[in-house]
């Protein structure tokens, strides 16, 4: 019986540690991209800093849609961008769970912007940009 009690206590402690670690990882996204995310400029021919979006990171397994995490020059997460191919919109493709693994982010506003293509996503697509900062800060900080 004592051994069962020890196993239960150890199991509960491990569960608590996992919950705390998970919360720490989710909180860390605001200042550092998750380990599986790579700087976009290391994957395709783009500059490290993109005016209007920031320094972008993406999990390569989610390309071309993303999510792409945009950090300002001070290293703070300011946006989450999805690059949705026009052909996927035209074929009525659903995108239901794109940002589920990012944690609970507070969205300030959203931009929906057409892009004819660029390195990494050459085909026409839309940038769906969920901003975590105000429009004023977006305009001031991401020039």
């Amino acid at each position: 019986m004592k051994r069962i009690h020890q196993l239960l206590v150890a199991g509960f402690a491990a569960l608590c540690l996992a919950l705390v670690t998970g919360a720490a990882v989710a909180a860390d996204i605001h200042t550092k991209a998750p380990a599986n995310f790579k700087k976009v400029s290391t994957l395709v021919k783009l500059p490290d800093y993109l005016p209007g979006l920031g320094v972008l990171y993406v999990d390569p397994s989610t390309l071309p849609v993303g999510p792409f995490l945009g950090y300002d020059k001070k290293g703070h997460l300011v946006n989450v961008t999805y690059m949705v191919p026009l052909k996927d919109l035209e074929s009525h493709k659903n995108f239901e769970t794109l940002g589920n693994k990012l944690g609970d982010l507070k969205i300030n506003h959203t931009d929906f912007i057409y892009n004819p293509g660029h390195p990494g996503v050459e085909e026409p697509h839309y940038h769906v940009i969920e901003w975590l900062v105000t429009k004023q800060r977006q305009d001031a900080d991401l020039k």
Side-chain angles (χ1 to χ4, degrees):
M1 188 67 153
K2 183 177 180 181
R3 178 74 178 141
I4 292 174
H5 178 72
Q6 288 173 333
L7 289 173
L8 287 173
V9 169
F12 180 73
L15 177 62
C16 289
L17 179 61
L19 291 173
V20 170
T21 302
V25 168
D28 191 43
I29 194 172
H30 291 283
T31 56
K32 183 178 179 187
N36 57 322
F37 279 63
K38 305 298 178 214
K39 191 182 283 189
V40 169
S41 62
T42 66
L43 302 173
V44 297
K45 191 172 179 144
L46 285 173
D48 279 350
Y49 185 83
L50 296 167
L53 288 175
V55 179
L56 294 181
Y57 290 82
V58 68
D59 176 349
S61 71
T62 66
L63 291 174
V65 176
F68 294 78
L69 304 178
Y71 292 84
D72 65 14
K73 291 178 182 176
K74 295 178 183 174
H76 298 112
L77 180 64
V78 293
N79 64 55
V80 177
T81 300
Y82 302 94
M83 299 188 189
V84 183
L86 193 56
K87 68 178 183 180
D88 289 342
L89 293 174
E90 291 169 347
S91 69
H92 304 246
K93 183 175 180 179
N94 291 325
F95 297 95
E96 297 167 337
T97 60
L98 292 175
N100 286 359
K101 297 177 182 166
L102 297 179
D104 190 21
L105 299 175
K106 185 175 179 185
I107 306 302
N108 182 279
H109 64 283
T110 302
D111 292 335
F112 194 78
I113 301 170
Y114 175 77
N115 190 293
H118 53 72
V121 185
E122 285 80 11
E123 62 189 291
H125 60 280
Y126 276 91
H127 288 188
V128 180
I129 310 168
E130 296 182 317
W131 290 97
L132 310 178
V133 297
T134 64
K135 177 73 172 144
Q136 293 77 19
R137 183 161 166 226
Q138 168 191 342
D139 292 342
D141 290 357
L142 294 171
K143 293 179 183 175

